[in-house]
Amino acid sequence: MNASEHTPLYVQIADDLRTKIQQGELRGGDRVPSENEICDQWPVSKITARKALTTLRSEGLIEGVRGKGTFVRRKTPRVRLAPQRWFRQAQTDSRPTHEREAERAGEDSLASRRSHEVQAVFEVAERLHIETGDPVSETHYLIAMDGEQVSMSVSWEPLALTAGTAIASPTEGPHASLGVIGRFDKIGIRIDEVEEALDCRMPTPDEARALHMPTAGTPVVAIEQTWRAQGLPVCTANVVFPADRYEFRYRMEIK
């Protein structure tokens, strides 16, 4: 490190640690020097050491664990692969997509869900092509893998399509374990399109609490989903993932 260079000292320290991570000298799960250790290794102030670690944390290279220290971030084994996750599964595998993704990652999954009837607010009505105030089923999901919260979502389905059927409640009945596509198949509505709009942003306070995101500076990936059958919207949802807990991969057919 050269104090006479124009590059700030905290940037030089961050560059050095980043290089060690990129070259494999520091691997996922390895502990990185603390502020005090940086001050001992490089003759700098705690403020400079803190800025160096903050830089690497903002780049997603390291993460702090309360009471234990700061570590090189492990690459998540969880992969959300689209559009393959929407393909109709064989009858032998009718589990929700999150269960199959957890299994591929070698993890256990647990879903908390609750559903009730509400009146559609303007935004939901617009997305479902119904009138504001029309009855919809609203379902809240919170999904954990290996004890870590990985996503939260809320979805809406028009009761004009599902009331009186076996899928009227997304969380109850004989088909509750199926995903949206499988459930609507059961009442003769074949979903043939799903549209997703992704937004990378910082979490709201409620999202950070629900997803147990204590580390400041970690963004979320917010996805607005709408499923359609021959152009008719049959379900819409808002899904939020901590950006450091899932890998998003898209494999598209080129025609």
Side-chain angles (χ1 to χ4, degrees):
M1 186 171 64
N2 189 345
S4 65
E5 290 185 7
H6 295 301
T7 305
L9 294 178
Y10 82 90
V11 174
Q12 294 182 50
I13 296 170
D15 287 346
D16 182 73
L17 292 173
R18 186 188 302 105
T19 298
K20 290 178 179 178
I21 294 171
Q22 292 171 340
Q23 293 182 350
E25 187 175 337
L26 288 172
R27 299 178 180 273
D30 286 351
R31 186 175 172 276
V32 300
S34 66
E35 291 179 14
N36 287 335
E37 289 168 338
I38 289 175
C39 292
D40 291 339
Q41 185 174 351
W42 293 277
V44 295
S45 68
K46 274 198 172 184
I47 293 176
T48 298
R50 187 174 303 123
K51 289 180 70 175
L53 292 176
T54 298
T55 298
L56 297 177
R57 191 176 293 113
S58 69
E59 295 173 6
L61 293 176
I62 64 174
E63 60 185 352
V65 179
R66 187 181 298 276
K68 294 184 178 181
T70 304
F71 301 83
V72 178
R73 216 183 87 195
R74 297 179 187 274
K75 184 175 177 62
T76 176
R78 306 164 192 134
V79 177
R80 186 181 188 275
L81 180 61
Q84 284 74 8
R85 76 188 317 262
W86 303 121
F87 290 172
R88 283 181 167 80
Q89 299 298 311
Q91 292 300 311
T92 56
D93 191 357
S94 58
R95 296 170 299 164
T97 52
H98 72 84
E99 290 188 10
R100 298 195 296 273
E101 289 168 351
E103 183 180 80
R104 287 197 296 271
E107 298 183 332
D108 295 323
S109 67
L110 179 65
S112 169
R113 52 187 186 173
R114 55 186 173 84
S115 185
H116 56 282
E117 179 180 335
V118 300
Q119 293 181 325
V121 299
F122 175 78
E123 179 186 357
V124 171
E126 285 282 290
R127 285 158 60 173
L128 290 174
H129 296 180
I130 60 178
E131 296 295 326
T132 300
D134 281 357
V136 294
S137 61
E138 179 179 273
T139 306
H140 295 259
Y141 295 90
L142 188 61
I143 296 174
M145 294 184 184
D146 269 13
E148 182 177 51
Q149 305 295 348
V150 297
S151 72
M152 61 183 295
S153 65
V154 56
S155 66
W156 300 270
E157 298 174 1
L159 284 169
L161 296 177
T162 63
T165 74
I167 70 165
S169 172
T171 58
E172 298 176 1
H175 310 306
S177 64
L178 302 180
V180 174
I181 294 171
R183 289 177 50 253
F184 275 89
D185 277 348
K186 295 298 183 181
I187 63 170
I189 296 179
R190 185 176 177 82
I191 294 174
D192 53 24
E193 178 184 84
V194 58
E195 180 180 354
E196 295 191 336
L198 277 66
D199 180 25
C200 295
R201 56 171 174 77
M202 301 309 297
T204 67
D206 287 344
E207 291 168 346
R209 281 191 293 270
L211 293 168
H212 300 172
M213 298 176 65
T215 303
T218 301
V220 295
V221 179
I223 304 180
E224 179 183 299
Q225 297 173 326
T226 301
W227 290 263
R228 300 183 182 92
Q230 295 185 328
L232 175 69
V234 301
C235 179
T236 193
N238 294 331
V239 192
V240 178
F241 297 85
D244 61 346
R245 299 179 193 173
Y246 240 100
E247 176 182 323
F248 294 81
R249 190 179 302 172
Y250 294 84
R251 183 181 299 160
M252 306 299 186
E253 180 182 359
I254 298 176
K255 297 183 179 180

